[in-house]
Amino acid sequence: MRRLNLGKWALYATILASSFAAIPVSANTANVSDDFTAIWSRQQAEKVTLTKETTAPEVNMNFDLVAPDQWVWDTWPLQNRDGSLTTIKGYRVAFALVAPRTYGWGERHTHARIGMFYSKNGKDWTYAGIPYSIDKALGHHQWAGTAMMDENGKVNLFYTSVTDMNANGGKEWNEDNWLQRAEQRIATTTFDINADKDGVHLTNEGEHKIILQADGKYYETIQQFQKHGNNITAFRDPFFFQDPNTGKEYIIFEGQTANTTLKPENIGDEEYRKTHSVPDRAQYYNGNIGIAEVLDHDITKLKLLPPLVESIGTNHQMERPHVVVNGDEYYLFTISHTFTYAPGLTGPDGVYGFYGKGGLRADYKPMNGSGLVIGNPSNNPYQAYSWLVLPNQQVISFINEPRDANGNVHLGGTFNATVKVNLNGDTSEVGKEEKTGEIKPFGANR
């Protein structure tokens, strides 16, 4: 009798398992192949519009300069390996792109370095200068990245090394038409860190190493880019990420897709394609969110993987990508400009988000139906830029080119007021405005 009951239960279990297997799995889960790349299509991006839920607060025109002698822009905090905020003897640490104000507003891009700031309260920041030797750093100048303090107390700085591809050794630079020659690679170095009554100090600078460069297969090289010459090439903005659900580590970055063939799904669904034509050269707006798997503990050996998201025919730049995790929900954020939208499309300078469930490799869908999470208000379209969403849903950015009440443009180059963004599944809403440059303590992604 007992064997008969076991047989019945075995049969029941088989039927039950088959029934579950027959239930369709949401396309927004991690049940996709390891080489799957989600798409931000023209059809989706066409829905981008500012609403009260996605419009950034107006910049306060009575802003102070966090470093009066420096232009300050793309900013990121020092985080622990698990993504939580680092504190060192009560100090919080942040890094940002800086350039002397003796250079013009436009010139700052080709004279950029990475500066360090520290604060006891996360609101009042002290500029501590450039923590590395410019002679040791790779490239003519350095663009954005991230910083991680490992379990041994070493600060790992990841940054973009920018070189004039025609220059000897990368230290020479020709300003003429530099956008066409700005070769970008991803580099790293390390430091020891200590703090005392005089502030935070980085010492014992390590060797600077290139750890990633475009492969021409998944990610467009500058030679491939030069054949069509659209805007600026991109292989930059490394973001170190430890997946809390798997423990695996990655570098996520901005890239551009090597194969610019416009697939039907890059345009939209079949019904949409029947009534919409694609303007010439739209396929060369080929931004993507790239990813490389970290293969060693020291983060010097990596393997390039297919992009997480591509925007061929939609947008040319998906800058400073980063991830926030809440349980099995993965939020993939990036920033983009109005001028980098493909012909026939437009949207505000802002932070855009993509929502997936079940794993980092997911069929990401644009948040809020279009992708827009926070955009500059229409009457002040360039007031701020370079938003970074932190694990506690604080969003930091810098003041860019705000207009006053008379329509006059002022040059910023300093920390903007932090805002909150409230995330609810695949939708979001801009929350309350906080203090200028504020970074509150936060734990790891969960």
Side-chain angles (χ1 to χ4, degrees):
M1 177 68 76
R2 187 178 181 186
R3 289 181 180 175
L4 180 61
N5 285 342
L6 286 173
K8 286 182 177 179
W9 279 110
L11 178 62
Y12 175 74
T14 300
I15 294 171
L16 187 63
S18 299
S19 299
F20 279 128
I23 297 174
V25 178
S26 168
N28 210 28
T29 70
N31 290 297
V32 295
S33 63
D34 291 340
D35 61 353
F36 178 81
T37 297
I39 287 175
W40 187 23
S41 71
R42 291 181 64 86
Q43 181 179 9
Q44 293 163 336
E46 196 176 65
K47 299 175 184 176
V48 169
T49 185
L50 283 167
T51 65
K52 65 181 181 66
E53 291 81 14
T54 59
T55 301
E58 292 271 358
V59 164
N60 182 350
M61 296 302 295
N62 295 317
F63 56 82
D64 294 320
L65 301 179
V66 67
D69 295 332
Q70 301 287 320
W71 300 116
V72 179
W73 63 112
D74 298 2
T75 306
W76 61 94
L78 177 60
Q79 295 172 259
N80 297 315
R81 196 164 197 132
D82 66 359
S84 57
L85 182 69
T86 300
T87 57
I88 175 77
K89 294 186 178 179
Y91 288 100
R92 303 164 209 180
V93 180
F95 297 88
L97 295 188
V98 297
R101 285 185 177 251
T102 51
Y103 291 110
W105 178 243
E107 290 179 295
R108 78 190 197 279
H109 294 293
T110 56
H111 297 275
R113 309 293 179 197
I114 296 168
M116 187 179 78
F117 299 78
Y118 58 82
S119 171
K120 277 281 192 178
N121 61 11
K123 292 177 285 189
D124 301 307
W125 295 92
T126 298
Y127 177 51
I130 299 164
Y132 55 88
S133 168
I134 293 173
D135 290 338
K136 290 182 179 179
L138 298 174
H140 174 267
H141 51 273
Q142 295 78 46
W143 285 345
T146 47
M148 177 271 286
M149 189 174 81
D150 65 25
E151 62 280 3
N152 297 317
K154 279 281 188 183
V155 172
N156 295 256
L157 177 66
F158 305 96
Y159 66 90
T160 307
S161 165
V162 189
T163 300
D164 186 330
M165 66 172 294
N166 295 330
N168 180 25
K171 296 296 184 181
E172 299 173 10
W173 189 262
N174 184 341
E175 292 286 341
D176 296 335
N177 199 28
W178 66 266
L179 293 173
Q180 296 293 308
R181 301 189 319 280
E183 185 174 25
Q184 299 145 50
R185 298 179 292 169
I186 292 172
T188 187
T189 191
T190 59
F191 304 89
D192 290 332
I193 186 169
N194 60 78
D196 54 31
K197 62 181 178 62
D198 296 321
V200 177
H201 317 280
L202 296 187
T203 59
N204 195 22
E205 178 181 350
E207 180 186 359
H208 291 249
K209 303 175 182 177
I210 296 295
I211 56 173
L212 284 172
Q213 53 190 333
D215 61 349
K217 176 184 177 183
Y218 299 131
Y219 304 102
E220 184 178 64
T221 64
I222 191 167
Q223 291 83 4
Q224 290 170 321
F225 157 79
Q226 286 183 330
K227 292 179 180 179
H228 50 77
N230 178 61
N231 285 329
I232 183 175
T233 188
F235 192 88
R236 61 178 179 264
D237 302 342
F239 173 80
F240 174 83
F241 173 67
Q242 184 185 77
D243 190 331
N245 292 313
T246 66
K248 290 185 176 182
E249 295 177 340
Y250 303 91
I251 296 291
I252 295 169
F253 56 90
E254 176 196 2
Q256 283 155 354
T257 302
N259 184 349
T260 56
T261 302
L262 199 64
K263 302 182 292 293
E265 53 266 35
N266 294 125
I267 304 170
D269 62 32
E270 185 176 359
E271 192 64 28
Y272 179 85
R273 296 196 302 270
K274 289 178 181 178
T275 57
H276 291 76
S277 59
V278 180
D280 289 343
R281 295 186 58 80
Q283 71 272 25
Y284 299 130
Y285 290 72
N286 56 330
N288 67 31
I289 296 176
I291 181 171
E293 182 180 359
V294 175
L295 302 178
D296 66 337
H297 192 72
D298 294 334
I299 320 172
T300 59
K301 298 178 181 177
L302 297 98
K303 177 184 178 182
L304 282 172
L305 303 175
L308 293 172
V309 176
E310 69 177 27
S311 61
I312 303 173
T314 299
N315 200 304
H316 190 62
Q317 291 188 15
M318 304 184 80
E319 296 188 290
R320 298 198 68 197
H322 52 285
V323 183
V324 171
V325 179
N326 180 24
D328 69 342
E329 296 179 303
Y330 286 72
Y331 292 89
L332 186 56
F333 295 105
T334 185
I335 55 174
S336 199
H337 292 283
T338 298
F339 79 89
T340 62
Y341 271 95
L345 297 172
T346 191
D349 278 25
V351 58
Y352 292 78
F354 302 86
Y355 175 80
K357 288 194 71 174
L360 180 59
R361 179 70 68 175
D363 187 6
Y364 288 97
K365 301 300 182 188
M367 293 183 64
N368 303 315
S370 68
L372 183 62
V373 173
I374 303 176
N376 281 328
S378 56
N379 66 323
N380 218 328
Y382 308 113
Q383 65 167 11
Y385 193 62
S386 204
W387 296 264
L388 181 71
V389 183
L390 302 175
N392 61 356
Q393 299 177 33
Q394 280 192 300
V395 188
I396 60 175
S397 60
F398 78 92
I399 297 176
N400 189 28
E401 299 175 5
R403 295 175 179 170
D404 62 22
N406 297 318
N408 299 314
V409 173
H410 295 246
L411 301 181
T414 190
F415 295 165
N416 191 19
T418 298
V419 298
K420 287 281 286 188
V421 62
N422 301 315
L423 305 176
N424 182 18
D426 62 358
T427 64
S428 66
E429 182 177 8
V430 176
K432 68 176 183 177
E433 188 171 8
E434 300 180 337
K435 300 295 183 181
T436 298
E438 184 171 11
I439 299 178
K440 294 178 180 177
F442 53 82
N445 287 289
R446 292 187 175 88

